[in-house]
Amino acid sequence: MTARILDGKKAAQTLRAEAAAHAARLKEQGITPSLVVVLAGDNPASAVYVRNKATAAGEAGIAARTLRFDASLSETELLGTIHELNADDTVDAILVQLPLPAHISTQRVLEAVVPAKDVDGFHPLNAGKLLQGQRGPVPCTPAGIMDLLRLEGIDPKGMRATVIGRSDIVGKPMALLLMHAHATVTIAHSRTRDLAGVCREADLLVAALGKPGLVTADFVQPGAIVIDVGINRVDSRAEVERLFGHDEKRLTEFDRKGSVLAGDCEWASVVSVASAVTPVPGGVGPLTIARLLKNTVELAESRRLSILS
Ligand code: NDP
């Protein structure tokens, strides 16, 4: 079997168009959704993510700006900025790009964002709403994956789903969303015994562990659907060959750049067992950004219309 490729880029285009159409409808009512991204420190990957987010927001008709601070920013200063953004009525959505510099408490900063502007859904109140199945912003990566499943006509209802990873950002909210969609969910992690055996039970396997190619064909039930969330940089040619086989395009890219991106799945073997799989890159990554746009517009609508009514 060769798995169907679940095209995250194509699904993301649909979501971005939906966000843009929603933003245009709000504009007719005099509302321009606005997003502020807060970037502290000089992590090069964060700088790229932030740039991509701001560009995508602009293309969807969202007013986006980025506040950049150097790594010496104090926690008090950052909290002061968050409080100002909370109080600014023109700001609908606040995104604090992670990771923060080590001397700043991520938890204190994320909890400082007012829940009504918490575009990533990381505030404990919004996490609680998700747990209870109430409306509220949902972390962008798992929400984007649910959008992908919907657009691909995959209904998790009744499926056995396994999520590898239990972070607050991906694993836990993913498991909750699948449970709310009526899947029977297992959460696996670094202490799970017989990880491959647990994963092989799944009709739908979500790999969000951040270990390149750890998920091999041995983890995958024949015909299962596999969602690969991992984004890992691989800088060994032998490892690229293990993950992708003799994929000329990938090897050429490696020879040119000295590294390539890879997911948590061993692509070459998983693709021969699964019925459908997301690629890396071009799978979950684009969905995450597209979902951010939808979350921004939805926050703008719920906050501003509740002020008007
Ligand atoms: P974290 O490091 O916060 O969490 C990783 C999870 O995987 C933990 O729960 C950990 O278990 C588990 N884990 C680690 N190693 C193993 C192992 N050998 N076997 C089983 N479980 C293991 O990562 P995130 O959740 O933030 O991200 C996961 C991956 O997804 C990363 O590669 C990240 O880059 C990527 N990502 C991609 C996004 C996208 O847009 N595509 C967005 C966000 C993340 P334990 O809890 O026991 O330590």
Side-chain angles (χ1 to χ4, degrees):
M1 183 187 304
T2 298
R4 174 161 69 104
I5 309 300
L6 300 173
D7 188 345
K9 278 195 204 154
K10 194 166 138 228
Q13 273 171 10
T14 306
L15 299 177
R16 287 163 75 146
E18 284 173 10
H22 193 171
R25 287 198 300 280
L26 289 181
K27 262 186 203 155
E28 285 166 13
Q29 299 174 65
I31 299 167
T32 301
S34 80
L35 167 70
V36 176
V37 180
V38 178
L39 174 62
D42 46 16
N43 181 319
S46 293
V48 174
Y49 292 145
V50 163
R51 208 167 41 240
N52 292 345
K53 286 170 184 175
T55 305
E59 286 168 7
I62 293 166
R65 66 191 160 98
T66 303
L67 302 181
R68 290 188 170 77
F69 299 97
D70 63 40
S72 63
L73 172 82
S74 73
E75 184 177 302
T76 310
E77 284 169 314
L78 182 52
L79 289 173
T81 298
I82 301 290
H83 293 313
E84 279 170 25
L85 296 171
N86 286 343
D88 184 342
D89 196 39
T90 64
V91 174
D92 296 302
I94 303 168
L95 185 154
V96 180
Q97 183 66 40
L98 302 179
L100 289 170
H103 64 280
I104 296 179
S105 158
T106 302
Q107 189 188 341
R108 267 199 290 275
V109 171
L110 295 181
E111 287 185 15
V113 175
V114 68
K117 298 186 181 186
D118 169 34
V119 72
D120 265 331
F122 292 162
H123 191 283
L125 186 89
N126 288 323
K129 283 187 172 180
L130 174 59
L131 182 72
Q132 294 190 342
Q134 293 183 39
R135 267 179 71 106
V138 173
C140 298
T141 300
I145 291 169
M146 295 308 287
D147 288 326
L148 174 72
L149 296 178
R150 171 175 57 84
L151 291 168
E152 290 283 347
I154 297 168
D155 183 356
K157 183 160 68 181
M159 286 187 184
R160 281 179 170 220
T162 297
V163 179
I164 318 175
R166 54 177 166 179
S167 71
D168 292 340
I169 293 170
V170 188
K172 280 184 213 157
M174 183 77 254
L176 288 168
L177 288 169
L178 288 168
M179 181 188 71
H180 291 317
H182 310 297
T184 301
V185 182
T186 300
I187 305 175
H189 45 75
S190 66
R191 317 293 161 86
T192 298
R193 252 184 277 146
D194 184 20
L195 183 64
V198 168
C199 293
R200 253 193 328 270
E201 302 263 299
D203 306 305
L204 173 62
L205 178 62
V206 181
L209 58 158
K211 299 277 181 270
L214 187 132
V215 175
T216 60
D218 192 36
F219 286 57
V220 180
Q221 182 190 124
I225 297 156
V226 179
I227 307 293
D228 191 348
V229 183
I231 302 180
N232 310 290
R233 193 154 281 287
V234 176
D235 56 10
S236 137
R237 201 171 202 277
E239 184 69 348
V240 175
E241 285 183 4
R242 174 180 77 87
L243 298 177
F244 299 105
H246 292 287
D247 177 335
E248 277 306 320
K249 211 172 129 215
R250 220 58 87 138
L251 289 169
T252 309
E253 186 189 341
F254 177 85
D255 290 339
R256 195 163 43 87
K257 294 188 185 163
S259 67
V260 295
L261 285 184
D264 290 339
C265 294
E266 186 184 77
W267 176 260
S269 68
V270 167
V271 82
S272 65
V273 179
S275 64
V277 60
T278 57
V280 178
V284 173
L287 297 163
T288 299
I289 293 189
R291 236 303 139 181
L292 170 70
L293 309 181
K294 294 201 81 164
N295 280 6
T296 299
V297 181
E298 284 166 13
L299 286 182
E301 179 171 60
S302 59
R303 193 180 64 88
R304 304 246 205 151
L305 295 183
S306 74
I307 291 169
L308 292 178
S309 62

